[in-house]
Amino acid sequence: MKVIQGQPVDIENRRIFSAEISIENGKIAKIEEKQHDVKSFLLPGFIDAHIHIESSMLVPTEFARLAVIHGTVATVSDPHEIANVLGKEGVKFMIENGKKSPLKFNFGAPSCVPATSFETSGAVINAEGIKELLALPEIKYLAEMMNYPGVIFKDEEVLKKIAWAKHFNKPTDGHAPGLRGEDAKKYTEAGISTDHECYTYEEAEEKLDLGMKVIIREGSAAKNFEALIDLLPEHYKNMMFCSDDKHPDDLVLGHINQLCARAVAKGIDVFKVLKVACINPVNHYNLEVGQLKVGDPADFIAVNDLTNFKVLQTYIDGELVAENGKSHIQASAFEKPNNFNTSFKNPEDFEVKATGKAVKVIEAMDGELITNEVRLQALEKDGNLISDIENDILKIAVVNRYEDKPAAVAFIKNFGLKKGAIASSVAHDSHNIIAVGTSDKEICNAINLIIKHKGGICSVDKNDEKVLPLPIAGIISDKDGWETGRLYQEIDEMAKDLGSTLKAPFMTLSFMALLVIPDLKLSDKGLFSGKQFDFVDLVSN
């Protein structure tokens, strides 16, 4: 029997006391009140209530090695990134890899593969595929239903997927940014139980009133903490924390522990904050994660205080998996499945003939997934429309990575590059190749570097190039989290040296092909308006 001393935090009963916790066979056998000199606080481990592990560019086992340092003991993970590349086999790869780690990964069945019919993905998961996945005990829920128009207008295939979730008594996650009023009511009544996409206080409050659980998201690109945190004191029973998408360099620095510290710094009651961070996900998703109670799995953490939440120790199933910033989880071997079938490109593939100078331009928003549509004058040269560096109207291209097809090309504002180009095969949700650059040649060079490595992110400028290969599905590194984080940071810094003013240029770039987030985006098939939910012409009359 293992005995741990500390100051347990009883979240439900709102008390802190001196005690010894006895652990036997991975479970908490006893919690005995006892005076001692150990001042560290013991609390249930943190849970990320909605995350795409793939966005860390790490396999689950490597993600776990970093996350446990920050007190994370479990995640609610939507594997739709790898599913869009490899289908059901990609989901099963994540499940099997996750089993090699003590961290408790709770995967969902990706509901939108592909996310829309307006892009090319590497796989399709229909209602029968959803049924197969939901029948697996490792699948805890139907993952984010991004096709909210399909829900509202009762698309037969969409409703079948939700029906299978109800059949297996597993919740359905939502994804409906900006959805309000009667449409939000229809969406909720169809069986959607959460939303992590609220970007205003009023929207989140309305969805809470409709019976949804609202998840406060703070990722590498999308950050809604400040907009929504003031709802927590009143609605703490129906809220959770998540990161959604977190790049490796950010994961090295912190995870859900950071959100707890920020919430407490705002004067919010610590018991309410911890209920959101540690308890609510367990109850909502029926997770097999301990809540610091007798008979529960011994999943808990020791922290130095209840303000900064510096994690001293992390225990999962009674085993010490991290201590004082060092992970005790060992690296595991894994396979490298992929799906990459496109040829090298030429600069001419990215030319745009000047049939008019007024164009619809994607306006990227720093720290947001949403974009605006602005109409501006493009720069013309030799009968072609080209990047206008001076006015920050740069060319953006998306290349189908599953087969040889013509590139889709448009223009984007707010990336700020003064030279060179950046590219990535992490491009939600179908993960084609996306690039922004100052010339057709630089864009071509960046895209060809991604093709050469069959996936990755890169920054290029004339004779200088930096690349992080992503050989697993073209979206995941085969390196450990620290090395991946270091390489990512170098490429990110080079992008900023090229002129980008964005806080996370590659994370922002990865969402410029995400058609289900309004307004103007670019898929491999063309320029797309989220408001009209259809393709639109680049040249504006």
Side-chain angles (χ1 to χ4, degrees), residues 398-415:
V398 177
V399 170
N400 184 327
R401 60 113 128 186
Y402 303 104
E403 55 185 326
D404 281 319
K405 293 285 185 181
V409 184
F411 290 90
I412 193 162
K413 189 169 180 59
N414 288 345
F415 267 79

Side-chain angles (χ1 to χ4, degrees), residues 60 90 114 122 134 330 357 387 390 404 410 447 518:
L134 284 168
Q330 298 302 308
K357 286 189 179 181
S387 290
E390 185 178 343
D404 281 319
I447 287 172

Side-chain angles (χ1 to χ4, degrees), residues 211-224:
M212 272 192 190
K213 304 282 197 308
V214 166
I215 307 178
I216 295 177
R217 170 182 60 190
E218 193 78 354
S220 291
K223 301 177 185 294
N224 308 120

Side-chain angles (χ1 to χ4, degrees), residues 203-214 231 235 238-239:
E203 177 192 351
E205 185 175 44
E206 183 178 332
K207 286 175 176 171
L208 284 162
D209 290 343
L210 286 170
M212 272 192 190
K213 304 282 197 308
V214 166
L231 287 160
H235 297 280
N238 294 304
M239 300 186 81

